[in-house]
Amino acid sequence: QVQLVESGGGLVQSGGSLRLSCAASGNIFSIVAMGWYRQAPGKQRELVATITNGGSTNYVESVKGRFTISRDNAKMSVYLQMNSLKPEDTAVYFCNAVRSGAFGWTYNDWGQGTQVTVSS
């Protein structure tokens, strides 16, 4: 299992920026990808951005050009730089790690979440 600890959430005005950080510990050598998801009140959790061990990235359409995901493999940390924030970005943001296991199975681990609130 992998433990994930997020930081960096908070309250920001529309158009502002925030940087989320997530540090992984535990069985980190089995991690094949990390990412960020978010969940707004009354909505399902959605993928925001992911990054593989090789550095390939994927973003939800609504954040392309505004958010950037990156990782530091030496620190086993992943970051989400969020620029030009909009009120609709308000949500709890969760760090995610995908681990590989036996027989090709994969497992997901989650952080506790960090609140991001964008005021208009």
Side-chain angles (χ1 to χ4, degrees):
Q1 194 173 3
V2 169
Q3 293 77 45
L4 302 169
V5 178
E6 303 116 329
S7 60
L11 173 65
V12 64
Q13 288 188 333
S14 181
S17 299
L18 282 175
R19 186 174 187 250
L20 304 182
S21 300
C22 173
S25 61
N27 190 15
I28 61 174
F29 299 105
S30 63
I31 295 175
V32 295
M34 297 184 74
W36 291 94
Y37 288 67
R38 65 186 179 187
Q39 188 167 17
K43 295 187 176 181
Q44 289 189 333
R45 188 174 298 189
E46 67 168 352
L47 180 150
V48 177
T50 61
I51 185 167
T52 67
N53 283 359
S56 297
T57 59
N58 181 49
Y59 297 91
V60 66
E61 190 66 32
S62 61
V63 308
K64 286 182 179 178
R66 299 188 299 122
F67 291 11
T68 302
I69 190 170
S70 61
R71 63 189 289 170
D72 183 332
N73 289 331
K75 296 181 179 180
M76 196 47 68
S77 294
V78 64
Y79 309 97
L80 186 67
Q81 178 66 43
M82 304 185 293
N83 299 328
S84 302
L85 283 160
K86 305 175 181 180
E88 50 264 43
D89 294 317
T90 295
V92 178
Y93 285 69
F94 296 91
C95 181
N96 167 262
V98 180
R99 290 183 287 120
S100 63
F103 312 110
W105 293 346
T106 59
Y107 304 86
N108 282 278
D109 293 296
W110 298 91
Q112 80 283 358
T114 184
Q115 177 70 47
V116 171
T117 303
V118 184
S119 62
S120 57

